[in-house]
Structures are given as C-alpha cells and as structure tokens.
Amino acid sequence: MITITFPDNSKREYEKGVTPKAVAKAIAPGLAKKSVAAKIDGVLTELDRPIETDASLELVVKGTDAAFEVLNHSTAHLLAHAVKRLYPDARFGVGPAIDEGFYYDIKTDEAIRDEDLSRIEEMMRKIAKEDLPIKREVVTKEEAVSRFSADPYKQELLQEIEDDEITLYSQNGFTDLCRGGHVERTSLIRHFKLLSVAGAYWRGDSEREMLTRIYGTSWFTEEKLDEYLALREERRERDHRKLGKELKIFLLSDEAGQGLPIWLPNGFTVRRVLEEYVQRLERRYGYKHLSPPILGTRQLYETSGHFKHYKDDMFPLIEDEDESYVLRPMACPHHAIVYKSELRSYRDLPLRYAEIVTQYRYEKSGALSGLERVRAMTLTDAHIFARKDQIKHEVLSAYGLIRKAINDLGLTIEYVELALRDADKGKFHESDELWDEAEKVMKELLDEERIEYTEMKGEAAFYGPKIDIQVRTALGHIITMSTVQLDFLLPERFDLTYIGEDGKRHRPVLIHRGLISTWERLMSILLEQFKGAFPTWLAPTQAAIIPVSVEKHLDHANKLQGLFLDADYRTEVDDREEKLGKKIRDAQQKKIPFQLVIGDNEVEENTVTYRRYGEKEQHTVGFDEFMELFAKEIAQKK
Ligand code: TSB
Ligand code: ZN
C-alpha cells in the first residue's frame, strides 16, 4: 500500500500502482470526469500514470489555469501531428501552451500561410475524432537522439537536456519530445481554433533560421471558445493602432522613424484640447509653466546623473569638435537650472514648475508598441521644489490632481504601485541614506492616507522611489499612467538651496510628477477606452452639419457653421452631392458625436434635427436650445 497526501493535507491509503483517475473515481463520482490531468509531487502528468510510491496528488480540474495549459499543450501536439500528415517534410521546433492558447514553430519546404489554416484545422479535427490514446514513454537520451535523427531542432533541444531520462509523448504516428502532461485521448480536444501565422526565429535568434509559428487556442466548451473569439474581435476593434489609422489620429511610418509618430490633424486637435485642459487645471493648482529647448549640454546631464544611470535610454550624443549635446530624455535638469537661477527663501517654496515637455528616449525597438511606447513623446510633467515639511502636502496634492484628471477623462485608477530600488548597482544612485529616507517617507505617507499599494522592487527611478498610478482600460489592459516621485538626489547634485527661517542654507526636495502620462500613451488609452468615439469635449469634430440637399440647404448649413466656429466649436459641413443616408453613415463611421440634419423645416423654423453617435432617435430643437445643450455637454465633459 502507498499513502497519498491531498492538497488539504488529508491522507489516504491506496494499492501501489493506482492511477490518479482511479483515485478521483474513488473520492467522488464525477470527479474523474472533471479532471484533466494530475500533479504528482508537484509534477504535471497524466491521469493514467501509475503512482508507485508515497506521493502528494493534486487533481487538475477543468476551469483552472493548469487544466487550460494541459489542454492547449495537447492541442499544440495535435497541430503538429496534423501538419506532419499534410507536410511530411515538416521539422518541429517548440510548441508550448501560452496565456491564451498555444503555438508551434514549424519548418516546412512549402510555406504555410493564413489560407492554409482551415485545411490544417480540418486535419486536426480528423485526428481528434480518431480518438487516439496519448501515451507517455520514458527513454534514454541515446534512444531519443536516434528517434529524432531526422529533426535537427529536436536534436538541438535534446543536446541541452542534462537528464538521461527523456519523456516522449506519442499518439499513433506522431511522437514529440515533451515534459507533459497531456489529456488522455485526442478526442478530448474539441473546441479549438487556429488563429494566425507569423515568422519566428529559431530560439529567438535573428542570426538563425526563420520558422513558421502557428498560433491557436483551445477550450473545454464551445461557449468558452466563442466567448474568447468574441473578446479577440473586440480587442481588434479597439486596437488603438487600427482606430488611430481609421480616424486619422496619428501616423507611424518606418520612413519617418520607428517610434516617432506624426500627429495628424484629428489627433492634434484632441491633443490641443487636452493641453488647454491640463494647463488650466495646473494654474488652478498653483503651477507655473516653463518652456526649455529640446537640447541641453552634456554637462547638464552629467551633473544630474542621467549620463551615468540613464544613458541606455538616451539617444546618442550630438557631437561637434568641442561641443556635445543631449536630446532631452527628461525635463528635470532644466527645471533644476531654473530653480537655481535665483536666490530662494523658505517663503518661496513650494515652487511648482510644470511643462508639457517633448522628450526623446531610445527605447529598444522590440519594446515599441503603437503609441503606447514610443521614442518621441510629450509628457504632462512637473517638478515641485519643496521644504521637507511640505513633502506630504505636496505629494498628496499632486495625487489629488492626478485623481481629478483621470476621473475627468472617464478612466479609473486600478491600483497604485510603490516602486522601490533593489540591489542593481548601475540602475540607482548610491547613497543608501537618501534612499532609505525617501522610501520611508513615501511608505508612511501612503499608509497614513490609507492608500493601498503594491511594492515593486527594482522599479524605482534612478533618483528615487515612485508612486506609479495604473489605469485599466475597457479591455482590461493595465497601463502606467501617472507618477509621483520623491527625489533627494538631484537637489544635491545641482547644489540647490534655499534660505530658511533661521537665515541658514537648506536643501529643498524635488517631487517629479507625471499627470496623465504622455500624449502618445494617453491617446492609446483613450482610443481603446472609447473605441474611438471620443466624448464631445474631446472629439476632433464635435458635430457634422448635413444639408439634405446641397442646392437648397447648403447656405443655411454654412451660416450655422459660422455661428459654431464663432462660439469656438469644432463642426464641419458635409457639402458633398451625396445621398443623405450616405452622409449620415459617413459621419457615423468617423464617430462624430452629433449629426445635425438641415432640411426645409429646419431652415424655415431655424431648428436643427440632431442625432447622437450610436443612437437611432432624432430630436428636433430650436438652434439656441441645441447650442445650450452642446455647451452643457462639453462643460460637463460627458
Ligand atoms: C515625471 N522625470 C520624471 C517626470 O518628472 C519621468 O520622466 N518619469 S518617467 O520616466 O516615469 O516617465 C513619466 C511617464 O511617461 C510614465 O509614467 C509613462 O506614463 C510615460 N512614458 C514613459 N516612457 C514612455 C514611452 N516610451 N512612451 C510613451 N510614454 C512613456
Ligand atoms: Zn522629472
């Protein structure tokens, strides 16, 4: 007899050689059906694996991540098996389960394209129906090497395994090198779909061969599969790169440079509205605005420490014979220079300098992603110079301002991170004393205010700890939006001082604040959040004025347009000789918040007939009444 220990620490005796499946059946009727695989002593394996010694056992049941992984891993084998039948020359790289499914890297003489996926999928269904048992086998390394003699990629993988025992999984006619676990039979794989094809370098090394990576996803029920496919479609619809192109918000072109977006008129309009909004808000919160140039001397960034700790993120120096310049990666050094340009007294503090700063960071090309991570970006930045006794007030006030702005934009804070340093020497400045003090102040302040946070070791800025504010978009995508950072270093490096009440010199502290991220990242978030349908206060075009007949109603439409422009609204007249239906559809496609239709009645009675984006009903109201409604909606940022 052997003793099996369960996750709740209960123990039971079984015959030697009992399988997890038999154990499941003995525990409860139905449990075996729900189980997909098992973990024996923590190692994922099959339900029919005999247990020979005392062990711990956890059944992997449907609905858990582990079960999803097992199913998807098995589906990856099924994919490879189908490819092998259709392309007998195929050689195989790796085929793991991933977050939302699986992939397999494959080399075939004849290229596999998107069009081929349905054929492969059909073959997968056929093999699944054949109901082949999936069998585990343990062989010596030597044996494995000879079994895979025709497959150079598997050979290479085998060379790297140190163990002499190799596990193989076979399903009549197809064998793969694999750690397991798998479902018991191919017929248990039923609800799957192949999704896409991409190129992938062998071992991720661009010097080596390019294989074909086929992605797919596999679920336990048809409903779950459908749900997932609908989510994918929704994501595609909301993808800011797709929306940014359709709505002419921005342009990314390799000719202009990777990660160097061009703002198109529509996007630039939204950006200007936001810029006015931010600057007005900042004035109310006691900030003053600065505007330094985009270059600074090398010396400036030597002094700040950027050159030492942040060089990898900076564009290469711009150098002449005896001068060298840095393309600004951050605004802080210039703001420190401004602080230093006058004698400061304790009564001058806090000094809050804001800047909507265009800065350049040499992000790795692999990290660039649409507008979310770019190399040229404009940040809603500020630097607050304060006395130590003002830290708490200033950090909280910055946090309050951030909350207001995020709320005005229709977003919500998901959670707050406190980014601290770790032992990585090159990344952070060396003074333990300054670090300890700054981290302590930040923790105390968050605790006192009962702001919950997650500590993130190693994520601090080189000059100090950060409070990073994360937002969640409509699709559940979590992004760092705002930041408040406490810095004792830069004031020291720039030798910043103020004259205290005691007549002596004191060191101020520096609080860095990013309000609503960069316009680039913010735009990526807003596009995804609103699916491109901006609220009226932000929309590039707030209303489309549509004359029913160009001949009869254009004059009146133009007259209204003049009134809207005078009142500083963003409207446009559709003066094309098109059918009314088409004009309305086009306005709808551009996601313009209001369509105003002008026909005989509207001209005669000075009314407008409006319809909101995405709504069916139309309403006819007097022009003045519409203006009021419009103004109210914009003021309320709805
Ligand atoms: C807040 N010196 C501070 C500033 O005073 C600073 O630059 N901090 S930062 O490095 O954390 O960047 C501020 C914000 O810029 C981040 O919170 C993030 O929202 C945004 N950001 C950073 N890198 C990129 C990038 N490559 N593309 C788009 N936005 C970015
Ligand atoms: Zn800064």
Side-chain angles (χ1 to χ4, degrees):
M1 296 297 267
I2 54 170
T3 305
I4 291 189
T5 310
F6 295 95
D8 63 357
N9 262 328
S10 65
K11 294 179 199 302
R12 288 202 211 184
E13 303 265 300
Y14 291 91
E15 294 279 347
K16 195 165 169 257
V18 69
T19 63
K21 190 163 190 165
V23 172
K25 273 189 183 148
I27 294 175
L31 183 56
K33 248 193 135 168
K34 267 200 275 175
S35 303
V36 177
K39 284 186 184 163
I40 300 177
D41 286 335
V43 180
L44 198 55
T45 190
E46 288 69 42
L47 287 174
D48 58 1
R49 170 99 173 260
I51 309 173
E52 306 290 353
T53 55
D54 290 354
S56 74
L57 173 68
E58 183 187 340
L59 291 162
V60 172
V61 293
K62 288 178 191 171
T64 60
D65 289 350
F68 185 75
E69 187 187 325
V70 167
L71 179 67
N72 276 278
H73 196 172
S74 304
T75 315
H77 281 215
L78 183 63
L79 164 63
H81 193 171
V83 169
K84 184 93 197 155
R85 280 200 189 166
L86 293 166
Y87 305 80
D89 69 287
R91 284 137 287 155
F92 298 94
V94 293
I98 52 178
D99 264 4
E100 299 180 351
F102 63 88
Y103 68 77
Y104 218 118
D105 286 349
I106 300 169
K107 184 80 185 172
T108 45
D109 292 340
E110 180 195 344
I112 296 178
R113 296 175 216 285
D114 276 312
E115 305 86 270
D116 302 313
L117 292 184
S118 59
R119 193 163 73 105
I120 299 173
E121 214 177 275
E122 232 169 84
M123 182 58 86
M124 289 169 72
R125 292 196 197 285
K126 185 158 175 290
I127 300 172
K129 283 221 183 81
E130 287 169 17
D131 191 20
L132 309 175
I134 300 173
K135 291 224 180 79
R136 176 175 187 270
E137 202 184 336
V138 182
V139 300
T140 62
K141 196 161 162 180
E142 206 185 335
E143 164 85 19
V145 168
S146 86
R147 292 268 281 271
F148 287 102
S149 59
D151 209 322
Y153 306 116
K154 296 289 176 194
Q155 292 279 349
E156 188 174 328
L157 295 175
L158 274 167
Q159 291 317 320
E160 285 164 23
I161 300 179
E162 298 198 348
D163 221 336
D164 191 49
E165 283 199 346
I166 307 281
T167 50
L168 305 181
Y169 282 82
S170 300
Q171 49 199 51
N172 189 27
F174 176 78
T175 300
D176 207 346
L177 178 69
C178 180
R179 234 180 280 122
H182 286 279
V183 297
E184 293 164 281
R185 315 183 69 85
T186 57
S187 60
L188 296 168
I189 306 169
R190 291 166 63 191
H191 314 285
F192 58 87
K193 180 141 187 64
L194 295 183
L195 300 170
S196 60
V197 175
Y201 290 110
W202 173 233
R203 327 265 1 223
D205 180 349
S206 60
E207 308 276 285
R208 307 200 58 184
E209 253 181 299
M210 176 83 91
L211 310 190
T212 301
R213 177 169 295 178
I214 302 180
Y215 286 98
T217 190
S218 186
W219 298 79
F220 287 107
T221 63
E222 196 67 16
E223 294 87 77
K224 286 275 180 222
L225 172 64
D226 288 345
E227 233 171 71
Y228 174 71
L229 293 177
L231 174 73
R232 255 177 80 87
E233 180 55 23
E234 176 75 7
R235 263 191 220 155
R236 205 183 62 79
E237 289 287 312
R238 283 185 191 256
D239 188 322
H240 81 268
R241 282 162 292 202
K242 176 174 179 280
L243 288 167
K245 204 168 175 176
E246 281 169 10
L247 301 173
K248 303 195 181 184
I249 300 290
F250 69 96
L251 178 69
L252 272 169
S253 117
D254 281 346
E255 202 174 347
Q258 275 192 65
L260 303 173
I262 300 169
W263 287 80
L264 298 174
N266 284 342
F268 195 50
T269 299
V270 180
R271 177 174 160 168
R272 265 197 318 256
V273 174
L274 286 164
E275 205 166 283
E276 269 168 38
Y277 161 75
V278 164
Q279 289 182 331
R280 181 183 290 180
L281 196 61
E282 283 175 336
R283 282 196 297 274
R284 286 238 358 237
Y285 274 70
Y287 289 79
K288 306 253 180 267
H289 291 94
L290 293 176
S291 182
I294 60 168
L295 292 179
T297 63
R298 173 185 176 135
Q299 186 52 50
L300 183 61
Y301 294 87
E302 297 266 16
T303 305
S304 67
H306 280 83
F307 215 77
K308 182 162 176 207
H309 300 286
Y310 203 71
K311 194 154 182 284
D312 289 348
D313 294 279
M314 286 157 42
F315 270 85
L317 284 170
I318 300 168
E319 295 197 278
D320 198 358
E321 265 157 37
D322 40 26
E323 282 165 299
S324 79
Y325 293 95
V326 170
L327 204 48
R328 263 171 132 189
M330 286 192 195
C332 352
H334 279 102
H335 292 198
I337 295 281
V338 174
Y339 178 92
K340 215 180 158 167
S341 65
E342 288 179 41
L343 187 64
R344 310 290 179 182
S345 106
Y346 68 97
R347 271 181 263 106
D348 300 329
L349 303 186
L351 256 175
R352 307 184 190 93
Y353 288 128
E355 179 183 356
I356 295 195
V357 48
T358 298
Q359 54 194 25
Y360 297 83
R361 295 185 183 175
Y362 204 52
E363 303 277 1
K364 293 201 178 53
S365 62
L368 299 173
S369 157
L371 282 189
E372 191 183 328
R373 190 172 293 278
V374 289
R375 287 178 169 167
M377 66 200 86
T378 301
L379 177 65
T380 46
D381 199 2
H383 294 93
I384 303 158
F385 298 88
R387 304 189 307 256
K388 276 197 170 158
D389 62 273
Q390 294 170 324
I391 292 175
K392 184 173 167 193
H393 179 268
E394 288 306 306
V395 170
L396 290 178
S397 145
Y399 184 67
L401 178 60
I402 287 168
R403 281 218 323 230
K404 167 158 177 51
I406 288 180
N407 186 42
D408 281 350
L409 289 170
L411 299 164
T412 39
I413 296 180
E414 183 65 15
Y415 60 91
V416 170
E417 281 178 4
L418 177 59
L420 307 169
R421 74 168 165 164
D422 63 11
D424 187 343
K425 283 283 172 235
K427 253 170 76 186
F428 307 105
H429 78 78
E430 305 73 5
S431 167
D432 286 333
E433 216 175 297
L434 296 186
W435 271 109
D436 291 345
E437 187 177 355
E439 291 188 352
K440 184 163 158 264
V441 172
M442 288 293 239
K443 279 188 199 169
E444 277 174 5
L445 181 158
L446 288 168
D447 288 340
E448 263 173 50
E449 289 303 306
R450 293 173 204 260
I451 299 171
E452 276 184 45
Y453 60 90
T454 328
E455 285 189 14
M456 300 294 286
K457 287 237 154 52
E459 299 289 312
F462 77 83
Y463 43 72
K466 317 191 268 184
I467 297 174
D468 274 345
I469 291 135
Q470 312 289 333
V471 300
R472 174 198 280 271
T473 67
L475 281 179
H477 189 175
I478 290 185
I479 304 176
T480 302
M481 171 105 159
S482 317
T483 184
V484 185
Q485 311 171 348
L486 185 55
D487 180 359
F488 293 159
L489 178 75
L490 262 56
E492 206 160 288
R493 299 200 59 131
F494 281 97
D495 192 22
L496 306 183
T497 56
Y498 66 89
I499 307 297
E501 220 168 339
D502 56 5
K504 293 195 182 120
R505 279 179 188 277
H506 295 267
R507 190 74 77 212
V509 297
L510 173 52
I511 297 162
H512 307 242
R513 182 230 62 189
L515 182 58
I516 43 176
S517 189
T518 52
W519 295 141
E520 287 72 18
R521 182 168 293 187
L522 178 64
M523 181 53 85
S524 79
I525 296 172
L526 293 180
L527 282 171
E528 185 174 320
Q529 179 72 11
F530 300 128
K531 232 174 167 173
F534 289 102
T536 309
W537 74 285
L538 288 176
T541 304
Q542 297 170 309
I545 307 172
I546 305 175
V548 175
S549 141
V550 170
E551 200 194 322
K552 281 165 56 192
H553 311 120
L554 183 58
D555 281 349
H556 188 72
N558 282 334
K559 197 184 102 198
L560 298 188
Q561 165 77 342
L563 295 173
F564 279 121
L565 291 181
D566 286 345
D568 218 11
Y569 295 124
R570 302 183 295 277
T571 53
E572 61 184 35
V573 178
D574 190 341
D575 58 4
R576 295 173 304 163
E577 302 266 5
E578 293 280 0
K579 291 235 165 64
L580 181 62
K582 168 146 178 64
K583 291 194 197 179
I584 289 178
R585 272 198 308 282
D586 286 354
Q588 194 77 12
Q589 213 162 45
K590 291 191 199 160
K591 310 199 179 197
I592 297 172
F594 286 95
Q595 301 142 26
L596 310 183
V597 176
I598 308 297
D600 287 341
N601 280 341
E602 286 76 13
V603 174
E604 237 160 71
E605 290 163 22
N606 195 24
T607 55
V608 296
T609 296
Y610 74 85
R611 185 200 317 234
R612 286 173 182 276
Y613 170 76
E615 283 182 11
K616 284 232 153 53
E617 320 89 79
Q618 28 180 38
H619 313 266
T620 303
V621 294
F623 179 72
D624 292 340
E625 193 183 326
F626 180 78
M627 282 301 234
E628 249 170 61
L629 178 152
F630 211 37
K632 201 164 146 200
E633 172 145 334
I634 290 166
Q636 290 175 345
K637 302 193 169 50
K638 274 211 292 228

